[in-house]
Amino acid sequence: MVKICCIGAGYVGGPTMAVMALKCPEIEVTVVDISEPRINAWNSDRLPIYEPGLEDVVKQCRGKNLFFSTDVEKHVFESDIVFVSVNTPTKTQGLGAGKAADLTYWESAARMIADVSKSSKIVVEKSTVPVRTAEAIEKILTHNSKGIEFQILSNPEFLAEGTAIKDLYNPDRVLIGGRDTAAGQKAIKALRDVYAHWVPVEQIICTNLWSAELSKLAANAFLAQRISSVNAMSALCEATGADVTQVAHAVGTDTRIGPKFLNASVGFGGSCFQKDILNLIYICECNGLPEAANYWKQVIKVNDYQKIRFANRVVSSMFNTVSGKKIAILGFAFKKDTGDTRETPAIDVCNRLVADKAKLSIYDPQVLEEQIRRDLSMARFDWDHPVPLQQIKAEGISEQVNVVSDAYEATKDAHGLCVLTEWDEFKSLDFKKIFDNMQKPAFVFDGRNVVDAVKLREIGFIVYSIGKPLDSWLKDMPAVA
């Protein structure tokens, strides 16, 4: 029986290996992690991450050919193929701080693999890594190999949180990069044969190592660029009276452009987009390409601008002060159908409102209070480091932030409400009930364009929707910087 081990039981490693075990019943798959609480959660009825369909997949395979363990070295030793899906956070200090990827955890994993292995192995990059990381890892493994052969493959993940299981079942493509040698091509074939259990062979793309590594960064940069493009357009739409939804639809019907990723919002988030673009910027700079680096910097600048613009709109609309006012925050995850809060726009919006002395009442159907408080207190880029290494701000936010269990409690006696995640349940809320229980005038700031602004105005709300013609009230308010 072929044995696969995945180092890292996070958002990529857990779901990917669960689906692989389901589709390849003759392969034994073990996910390992040094975090005992995380592994215990994977072995329990409450998984450590929320993803539609994931629980069913895990329950079908767990204990049969899918296992979760903290005994990392044992399972690496026994495996034929080792996937490495560890964090590659943005460096917070030293050379490349704020842009370069920190490969500390990757290097540590590589040294451990070399140390415990007694047989040849295929080592697969599953984490998003800088171009030519495989070459560095290859050197570490080779110089510590004790005569054992290691083949390095790059197999970047393109799944989207919230639809991860669906994406894993029916991927647009599977990308495998490897060396153009006989041994390298043999390794590529071995991994391709695993995916071929459920992915059509024509959708499995095989490239060299460097192309595979760069393709992942490029894909995320292109997607983020589309979001920043439509968000930049949303600011112009508000200024001119155009409707960004109509503009995006008109643009998206052009088959050369297409309709996906053209929804204006408060900004993009998640673990990959900003981190990967910063990494891409650093690589461009290191290769003497400042013009290319500056192009990608603008994608992040527009995203930051959109979050600041939204928060400023809240303050300016409410008589230019939110001091002491209760603001309901509906949604904290970076997108619907996930509990992931990494780089969520809600963090920046909430922190700016807290800085203006607002009192926040936050509700999200999947994000725990502990996570929300940690996110609002954490230093930038620290979310991708282990908890013991995360720096928490000294000043407390407890008096200004309240986390509640439903939207009606969050909005009771509030002066305004902000929709920051597009959860489906927010579309069907009883807004008449919410209006009756809010302070007047009652404001709705829709950062995801999910509410029916016309109906809400009929109820009596003053409504701001990203990129839509401004409510007459808002036109009279101070300009937003």
Side-chain angles (χ1 to χ4, degrees):
M1 174 182 274
V2 173
K3 290 188 176 183
I4 290 176
C5 175
C6 177
I7 303 173
Y11 280 91
V12 172
T16 303
M17 293 301 113
V19 170
M20 190 171 287
L22 180 69
K23 297 295 185 179
C24 308
E26 78 283 8
I27 295 177
E28 181 180 300
V29 180
T30 304
V31 183
V32 297
D33 200 292
I34 59 173
S35 171
E36 190 170 338
R38 173 167 287 186
I39 291 299
N40 289 342
W42 278 111
N43 284 318
S44 73
D45 292 330
R46 186 176 177 82
L47 302 184
I49 62 175
Y50 173 74
E51 191 67 46
L54 175 61
E55 187 176 348
D56 290 339
V57 175
V58 171
K59 284 183 177 178
Q60 286 184 64
C61 303
R62 192 171 57 195
K64 298 176 183 175
N65 70 321
L66 175 64
F67 305 93
F68 299 93
S69 174
T70 55
D71 196 343
V72 179
E73 294 186 0
K74 173 181 181 293
H75 292 287
V76 168
F77 169 79
E78 294 176 350
S79 65
D80 303 292
I81 302 174
V82 181
F83 285 83
V84 182
S85 185
V86 297
N87 290 346
T88 51
T90 302
K91 290 185 71 174
T92 56
Q93 55 189 357
L95 183 64
K99 287 180 286 190
D102 185 345
L103 299 179
T104 300
Y105 308 120
W106 229 115
E107 181 176 342
S108 177
R111 291 184 182 280
M112 182 273 297
I113 292 169
D115 188 49
V116 305
S117 295
K118 296 292 187 285
S119 58
S120 298
K121 299 188 188 305
I122 298 171
V123 179
V124 184
E125 290 178 338
K126 204 63 180 169
S127 312
T128 303
V129 293
V131 182
R132 306 198 82 88
T133 295
E135 188 172 54
I137 300 307
E138 194 173 54
K139 288 177 180 177
I140 292 171
L141 291 171
T142 301
H143 284 82
N144 294 276
S145 65
K146 303 183 290 288
I148 296 167
E149 181 182 343
F150 294 101
Q151 284 298 319
I152 314 299
L153 300 179
S154 175
N155 176 218
E157 193 52 72
F158 296 100
L159 59 85
E161 289 182 45
T163 57
I165 301 304
K166 175 185 170 186
D167 295 341
L168 287 163
Y169 281 168
N170 301 291
D172 292 333
R173 77 294 203 194
V174 170
L175 181 59
I176 303 173
R179 288 286 193 184
D180 191 19
T181 62
Q185 293 302 303
K186 183 180 178 182
I188 289 175
K189 182 180 182 303
L191 185 55
R192 184 178 62 196
D193 289 346
V194 172
Y195 282 109
H197 280 74
W198 77 97
V199 181
V201 174
E202 60 271 17
Q203 288 175 226
I204 303 175
I205 303 171
C206 299
T207 69
N208 67 36
L209 275 170
W210 328 132
S211 295
E213 289 178 333
L214 184 56
S215 294
K216 170 62 173 177
L217 297 180
N220 281 340
F222 277 46
L223 292 172
Q225 182 267 340
R226 283 176 71 96
I227 296 172
S228 282
S229 291
V230 76
N231 281 344
M233 200 59 62
S234 74
L236 183 58
C237 286
E238 291 171 26
T240 60
D243 185 325
V244 72
T245 303
Q246 295 175 357
V247 172
H249 175 69
V251 170
T253 54
D254 187 324
T255 55
R256 296 169 300 174
I257 299 172
K260 294 184 177 180
F261 277 76
L262 290 180
N263 294 319
S265 69
V266 66
F268 60 73
S271 65
C272 291
F273 281 2
Q274 176 157 300
K275 182 176 73 172
D276 288 357
I277 294 173
L278 289 170
N279 196 350
L280 192 60
I281 291 167
Y282 185 68
I283 293 169
C284 290
E285 290 174 342
C286 290
N287 283 279
L289 303 170
E291 292 81 6
N294 289 335
Y295 174 82
W296 293 113
K297 282 179 183 177
Q298 281 302 126
V299 174
I300 290 179
K301 285 184 178 179
V302 170
N303 194 54
D304 290 339
Y305 162 71
Q306 189 77 339
K307 291 180 285 188
I308 293 169
R309 198 170 71 83
F310 183 88
N312 286 351
R313 176 69 72 183
V314 175
V315 177
S316 67
S317 299
M318 300 174 71
F319 314 104
N320 219 33
T321 178
V322 291
S323 180
K325 294 177 181 177
K326 179 179 178 180
I327 308 292
I329 304 295
L330 300 187
F332 198 84
F334 85 92
K335 63 186 286 190
K336 72 174 186 177
D337 293 334
T338 180
D340 193 355
T341 62
R342 293 176 292 180
E343 295 290 352
T344 175
I347 294 174
D348 286 335
V349 172
C350 288
N351 278 332
R352 289 188 75 87
L353 295 176
V354 166
D356 254 313
K357 303 284 193 284
K359 293 184 177 181
L360 306 185
S361 185
I362 304 174
Y363 166 66
D364 188 286
Q366 287 297 329
V367 184
L368 299 176
E369 177 174 358
E370 179 186 3
Q371 185 62 52
I372 291 173
R373 292 191 178 279
R374 178 171 287 276
D375 287 334
L376 293 178
S377 303
M378 197 182 305
R380 196 175 189 195
F381 300 129
D382 268 10
W383 52 264
D384 216 6
H385 290 277
V387 171
L389 298 180
Q390 293 172 356
Q391 298 180 44
I392 303 300
K393 299 172 189 173
E395 64 272 19
I397 59 162
S398 57
E399 293 182 3
Q400 286 180 255
V401 174
N402 187 31
V403 181
V404 299
S405 58
D406 71 76
Y408 298 104
E409 184 181 356
T411 55
K412 182 176 173 56
D413 294 324
H415 291 259
L417 71 87
C418 301
V419 180
L420 299 184
T421 310
E422 69 279 22
W423 287 103
D424 290 338
E425 68 178 76
F426 297 156
K427 300 176 185 178
S428 57
L429 291 172
D430 184 344
F431 280 100
K432 179 63 169 65
K433 175 181 176 181
I434 288 174
F435 178 79
D436 290 341
N437 289 314
M438 285 179 66
Q439 300 288 329
K440 308 299 184 296
F443 296 85
V444 172
F445 303 94
D446 186 2
R448 298 290 180 172
N449 286 340
V450 297
V451 303
D452 187 329
V454 173
K455 287 185 178 179
L456 265 59
R457 289 189 179 111
E458 290 174 354
I459 291 172
F461 285 104
I462 296 162
V463 183
Y464 166 70
S465 297
I466 290 274
K468 301 296 186 80
L470 294 177
D471 190 296
S472 57
W473 173 289
L474 301 175
K475 290 179 183 176
D476 297 329
M477 291 294 106
V480 178

